[in-house]
Amino acid sequence: MDKAIVTGLLVIASTVAAALLVVTISPSIRTGSQSISGASISMAQRIETEIAIITAEPDQTGQRIDVWLKNAGSTNIMPLSSLDVILRSSDGRRGEYVPHGAASGNSWVVVPASHEVWHSGGTLRMQVSLADALTSGKYRISATTPNGVSSDMDFEMR
């Protein structure tokens, strides 16, 4: 009789322990799988995204740079205003973030301004305006998409 009671208590205890284990681990497994799924989607979008700066040409005053970019990936890029543009000099004396459409100071805009989505295979013209003109020398302009894919181009101001 004692063995039956002990066996019954052990069965009840193991059932309660198993139920507690399922209740405590299930949310973690669900959260982990959602996290992995989200990371996979993000990585897939990044793999499908590819951009290339085709050319970067400063004007004679050094206050405007025309930049032509190509969406060489298989996904659309949006919003365009989320592109990050960075201008650096090769000697390291100048480096600056260029914001989209700023009212004063450095800024960049898409020409023509009607673009909101950069379609796969499309070419984009970006006009960078600078508050301080470029001096003679070599520069690098970088463009980075919202999901972290970037392209650089070196150019020279004469």
Side-chain angles (χ1 to χ4, degrees), residues 31-88:
T31 302
S33 68
Q34 288 173 351
S35 176
I36 290 170
S37 175
S40 296
I41 291 169
S42 176
M43 184 58 81
Q45 287 175 340
R46 188 169 180 172
I47 289 170
E48 293 173 351
T49 305
E50 184 179 345
I51 64 169
I53 298 177
I54 300 167
T55 184
E57 293 290 329
D59 69 358
Q60 296 205 348
T61 66
Q63 293 206 270
R64 179 166 285 148
I65 307 166
D66 275 334
V67 182
W68 289 85
L69 302 102
K70 176 83 171 175
N71 180 352
S74 61
T75 186
N76 296 337
I77 298 172
M78 61 184 185
L80 287 178
S81 59
S82 293
L83 288 171
D84 290 327
V85 177
I86 297 174
L87 177 67
R88 299 179 303 249

Side-chain angles (χ1 to χ4, degrees), residues 112-126:
S114 62
H115 291 290
E116 302 226 1
V117 176
W118 187 8
H119 295 284
S120 174
T123 303
L124 182 75
R125 180 179 176 204
M126 178 186 293

